[in-house]
Amino acid sequence: MKSLTIQGKKRESVGKASTRALRNADQVPCVVYGGSEPIHFSADVREFRDLVYTPEAHIVVLELDGGEAVNCVLQDIQFHPVTDRILHADFYQISDEKPVTMNIPVRLEGRARGVLAGGVLRFNLRKLKVRAIPSKLPDEIVIDISKMRIGHKKYIKDIRVDEYSLIHPDNAVVCMIKTSRTAIGGDADEDDEDEENEDGENEGGEENTNSEESNNESAE
């Protein structure tokens, strides 16, 4: 999985006045959980640009003053309800042996047959909660939708693998192809259509033969 670095400074005070002063200085109050004790620190709001405003998932290398480095993942982030300014961020410290839960983006690959037939793609779950040790966390979850027809759905149970766990019920729908007014009736396979054409030609050939035989008999 991709990683990025955030430069942070440990906080000596965690009161409301200190928090307000940090935000006024364009600093984000943060906490790292998961270690022997929580680590309170602050980071410049610009440090979060490549972490928050992207669909990609990252492991964060937190570099603190004093040379301390902590590997962690973003667990929660709070925004101002009006300005969308980042107010607070929670991180979770990770290790190679300890499973961690992250939101991983989903990418749909291919053009669905149902869409080519006029159906509409509904992408319900663009991120999935994945639990695994850090080395097994995927950058993204790729789903091939090229064979999906109108009415078909991709469930969580269809994309489970051994490398990581999906923290969702089996019957949760990731994506589906819905019908529309422009959908082509039947959405049949080309192979099925070819077979039907061949059958029709054979039946037509037999009818013509029978007709010729009947005409010959009448002539006699």
Side-chain angles (χ1 to χ4, degrees), residues 141-173:
I141 297 173
V142 180
I143 302 176
D144 183 6
I145 63 171
S146 57
K147 294 183 180 180
M148 292 180 66
R149 300 194 210 168
I150 293 174
H152 284 188
K153 300 177 181 179
K154 283 288 185 182
Y155 296 95
I156 290 294
K157 65 181 180 182
D158 300 325
I159 60 173
R160 291 196 184 278
V161 295
D162 295 333
E163 288 79 6
Y164 51 80
S165 299
L166 296 172
I167 315 301
H168 298 270
D170 279 346
N171 62 352
V173 177

Side-chain angles (χ1 to χ4, degrees), residues 6-8 25-28 42-49:
I6 287 181
Q7 303 291 334
D26 289 330
Q27 297 287 309
V28 179
S42 63
D44 192 289
V45 68
R46 291 171 295 185
E47 296 278 339
F48 290 82
R49 181 182 55 193

Side-chain angles (χ1 to χ4, degrees), residues 84-126:
D84 278 341
R85 181 182 180 183
I86 300 175
L87 298 178
H88 185 84
D90 288 339
F91 293 84
Y92 188 81
Q93 186 172 348
I94 62 175
S95 66
D96 294 337
E97 299 81 18
K98 185 167 56 176
V100 65
T101 301
M102 287 190 67
N103 287 319
I104 303 297
V106 178
R107 178 168 63 86
L108 304 183
E109 186 176 68
R111 295 194 65 187
R113 301 184 67 167
V115 172
L116 294 175
V120 178
L121 173 65
R122 298 294 188 210
F123 197 174
N124 299 335
L125 298 175
R126 295 176 181 270

